[in-house]
Amino acid sequence: MTKGEMLYEGKAKKVYLTDNSDLYIVEYKDDATAFNGEKKGTITGKGQLNNAISTIFMEMLNAQGIPTHFVEKMNDNEQLVKKVEIVLLEVVVRNIAAGSLAKRLGLAEGTVLPKAVVEFYYKDDDLGDPLINDSHIEVLELATPEIVAKMAEYGRKINEILVDYLKARKVTLVDFKLEFGITPQGELILADEISPDTCRFWDADTNEKLDKDRFRRDMGNVEEAYQEMLRRLGGVEA
Ligand code: C5P
């Protein structure tokens, strides 16, 4: 596989063309940002850790029948993925109140929600990824109602799979963000990553945070938390 021109550079990843027009290479970076890019930093080893962690989750979801863009992990920082057009909607699924939900609804962090909440955010850095509803999505023509319904359904299904998988590894899944893409053949598949950058993971016994909140809140031991997550998932510590 030959790495071609860089197609896109995001906050945490770079995407490259390859000599196969159906495949992209994703390179995971050590850069970390929070609060829509207002807080910037580097987490040593984060690229390798998130590449390894996301590989484990994507392979597991593929095996459980969830279609994803993941093809294979190529090396420490790179993975091969299917080419998709990213839907400009972020799907957030929440089991426990934290972050922006706790703030918006005035709920104490840690409040267990009676059922999972699914939210859509408009993927637009200039606007700060605002929360949007079905009517907004329709008016902005971001996705058809069928695609939106399918994304919500996948979100709930993936949540069920991840909650059980993580519970067995002594991790509570608080919330997480998913992105989806559409293949050239028109199939909706899971894209992007599943990692401590995009999920809130709490130790099941102590509620210790094992995710990017440690960076957002300057709690220290960020790299150690990501390493601990990889260890619990059965991956080799970076
Ligand atoms: O900040 P908020 O509480 O809305 O985040 C909900 C979940 O979505 C968290 O797990 C967070 O890491 C993730 N998220 C993300 N990328 C964003 C916004 C949120 O991965 N742009």
Side-chain angles (χ1 to χ4, degrees), residues 90 92 94 98-101 104 119 121 129 175-177 196-200 212 216:
E90 296 187 346
V92 169
R94 304 176 184 266
S100 70
L101 180 88
R104 188 177 314 111
E119 300 171 333
Y121 291 83
D129 299 340
D175 57 33
F176 59 98
K177 185 242 351 179
D197 271 11
T198 63
C199 305
R200 287 195 172 93
K212 196 168 144 187
R216 295 187 186 101

Side-chain angles (χ1 to χ4, degrees), residues 19-55:
D19 51 1
N20 180 330
S21 63
D22 287 332
L23 301 174
Y24 290 157
I25 289 172
V26 175
E27 184 187 311
Y28 284 72
K29 306 194 291 183
D30 288 349
D31 298 347
T33 62
F35 313 117
N36 198 34
E38 271 172 48
K39 182 180 166 84
K40 287 193 176 74
T42 304
I43 301 169
T44 316
K46 179 171 83 79
Q48 280 189 40
L49 287 159
N50 279 357
N51 188 24
I53 291 169
S54 200
T55 293

Side-chain angles (χ1 to χ4, degrees), residues 174-204:
V174 174
D175 57 33
F176 59 98
K177 185 242 351 179
L178 300 172
E179 293 186 25
F180 291 84
I182 299 180
T183 65
Q185 294 75 35
E187 191 194 2
L188 180 74
I189 63 175
L190 181 66
D192 196 49
E193 66 181 289
I194 300 180
S195 75
D197 271 11
T198 63
C199 305
R200 287 195 172 93
F201 298 128
W202 292 355
D203 177 273

